[in-house]
Amino acid sequence: FRSRRIKASYWLPEARAKNPYRYSETIIEDRWHFAALVDIAVIQTKTGDIAGALETARTIDNISERSRAMGAAAVAQAERGDVAGAMATASSIEAAYGDSPALIAVAVARAKAGDLAAALDLARKIEAAYGDASALAVVASAQIGRAHV
């Protein structure tokens, strides 16, 4: 099934029945609607349907929830070795700090692939922008692992 069908066929008519001004004011049902779409996107990433997850994410009107869904897709891309795709997805995340987990996943993927210089560069940028040194720790661990090989 397609995420647009879920949004158009189920959620919107129900929300409009309760609130005809659905596009101009937030209602509590929107929160559950967006959370459900995030859950669908996450499930899609777990089944390997990254394109479907990104399509689902793009249908989410709430920036914070859309960023969560996009972040999950980017992490999945990085874990599957699609570092360029993960970086592109992470770069399209709109919410402040919403891209942090995705960027950390990209740094980890780069380190695991042996591209330590690029991983370290990204990890330093993450640490400077977000104060999160976890990517630096992963890169250091990868460097230690390569030294023992």
Side-chain angles (χ1 to χ4, degrees):
F1 62 87
R2 297 302 222 174
S3 59
R4 286 186 197 155
R5 184 165 12 119
I6 293 169
K7 182 176 181 180
S9 300
Y10 180 74
W11 293 104
L12 289 179
E14 183 178 298
R16 284 187 184 137
K18 293 179 183 179
N19 179 356
Y21 304 104
R22 187 214 179 286
Y23 286 111
S24 63
E25 72 179 67
T26 302
I27 56 175
I28 193 67
E29 286 82 7
D30 285 345
R31 170 67 183 104
W32 300 114
H33 166 101
F34 300 140
L37 289 173
V38 171
D39 289 345
I40 290 168
V42 169
I43 291 167
Q44 287 172 309
T45 65
K46 290 180 179 180
T47 62
D49 184 10
I50 305 299
L54 291 170
E55 181 182 339
T56 299
R58 290 183 188 107
T59 69
I60 301 171
D61 295 331
N62 179 280
I63 290 174
S64 175
E65 298 299 320
R66 182 172 52 246
S67 295
R68 283 184 44 219
M70 297 287 284
V75 168
Q77 287 174 302
E79 289 172 350
R80 288 172 172 75
D82 181 9
V83 177
M87 193 65 183
T89 300
S91 297
S92 69
I93 294 173
E94 302 157 278
Y97 296 94
D99 60 350
S100 179
L103 292 173
I104 290 169
V106 169
V108 168
R110 286 179 175 172
K112 286 181 179 179
D115 190 356
L116 297 176
L120 182 59
D121 180 58
L122 181 56
R124 285 180 175 147
K125 289 176 181 175
I126 294 167
E127 198 275 329
Y130 301 116
D132 187 342
S134 61
L136 285 169
V138 171
V139 173
S141 177
Q143 287 175 321
I144 291 168
R146 287 188 121 19
H148 289 88
V149 174

